[in-house]
Amino acid sequence: MSASRLILIRYDEIGLKGKNRKYFENLLLGNIKYKLRDVPDVRYQSPHGRIFIYADESAAQECAHLLTFVPGIASLSVGVSMEPNADSIADLGVDWIEPLLLDKESLSFRVKTQRSDKSFPIPSPEFNHQVGSKILQRLSEKGLTVDLTRAEFTLEIEIGDRETVVFKDRVPCMGGLPVGSAGNVLTLISGGIDSPVAAHMAIRRGCRSHFVFFDNRTFLGRGGYDKVLRLTKRLNAYQRGARLFVVPFADIQVQIRDLCSPPHRVVLYRRAMYRIACALAREQSCLALVTGESLGQVASQTLENLAAVSCVVPISVFRPLIGMDKVEIIGRAKNIDTYPISIEPHPDCCSVFMPPRPATRSKIPELEKDEAKYPWAELEKAALEAAEVIVCDEL
Ligand code: ATP
Ligand code: MG
């Protein structure tokens, strides 16, 4: 195998975990190995505070791309493993910088060395100078200059006790914590923009997110279902092992529409969703529900209405978007690449089910009175039993 590239993985937050650090590092390494499982000839090393991945040049770019999907990685660099020798490092620096000068009048650069191997005899500033001056000698006539504070190109050298790595870029990754470190949650996912972003935020904090979708294809067609399949597949790229539960919801919606007071409908639909989701969460050992609700975004998302839905379940309900405005949410949806799917048109909750004037300040006793008009417990049990289970890894 030609192990000509070394990918250096950095993680910020795990480094702060004290005695639990090894546990987080092992989880992260396991998740990385799973993510790169189809890339041939990859090797791993995890010396203190670092993960090194060895791959050949063509595979390294693919690995770097895949690793941007792994929560817990703060940044990475694709570099070259070499001896800590100023001449050979300068040769590599020239190879990297010279092509950049072809279509530029000038370029500023600097060399930055970090030494975790303190037995290496040359202090970092001196090593910077040695390597930098050799590069400058060869390229100053072509327009290369030195700028120690605002260089356009930085050649970085990390001298460790096992490896010396030379690299030129730091690729920002997701940050957060490795999936599996925080337990499972269940995200209520619709085909919209918000709930996939909420799921992603929970995943980024180390949760594995399962999903539940309440499907009214009888009236709305299969469009929503197809979108949710594709959204969960995309979200599962940031984790693994998720399940999607598709719960038939038409019967419940019809009963609420026909028997309950129209302004309450939306909150009553949501209360039914929360109760079913809570039962599923228990079954799947999920410790919380996650939704895409954000304060004041629509009539159903006032403080009163959020309280009127949360109170039906004895489980934590997390709303990671609560303080975000739509522009911020859309920005995140674009970053995680769920946005193009979310904006595909499909009927969300057609006019047959939406009341003309939904209540913005629902009172819980009145909702309960309304709920007594339809056999919700029976219908919810039937919906749960009819749920389709989809293994997201197989999508
Ligand atoms: P989204 O963009 O996620 O659809 P939204 O702004 O359209 O959110 P609502 O339709 O009021 O808001 O839904 C609020 C939240 O309730 C959603 O973010 C989602 O978590 C949950 N939800 C709504 N409809 C469904 C559904 N059919 N299946 C599962 N969860 C749902
Ligand atoms: Mg919606």
Side-chain angles (χ1 to χ4, degrees), residues 38 48 96 104-105 176 293 308 311 345 354 359 361 392:
D38 293 330
H48 188 68
W96 280 345
K104 272 188 150 217
E105 292 266 295
E293 289 156 323
C311 69
M354 293 305 279
R361 303 199 190 310
C392 299

Side-chain angles (χ1 to χ4, degrees), residues 187-198 212-216 220 228 245 247 249 253 266 270 273-274 290-294 297-301 306 321 326 329 342 346 348-349 354:
T187 301
L188 282 78
I189 189 162
S190 65
I193 295 169
D194 303 328
S195 41
V197 174
V212 57
F213 171 57
F214 295 93
D215 188 11
N216 184 350
L220 307 177
V228 166
F245 299 88
V247 177
F249 203 57
Q253 276 197 301
V266 181
R270 203 77 83 223
M273 288 183 191
Y274 271 51
V290 173
T291 81
E293 289 156 323
S294 141
Q297 201 186 76
V298 288
S300 61
Q301 297 175 16
L306 294 178
L321 313 186
K326 200 74 190 184
I329 298 169
S342 293
H346 90 281
D348 191 344
C349 196
M354 293 305 279

Side-chain angles (χ1 to χ4, degrees), residues 265-280:
R265 275 183 205 161
V266 181
V267 175
L268 293 175
Y269 299 150
R270 203 77 83 223
R271 281 162 66 100
M273 288 183 191
Y274 271 51
R275 280 191 293 256
I276 295 171
C278 182
L280 272 173

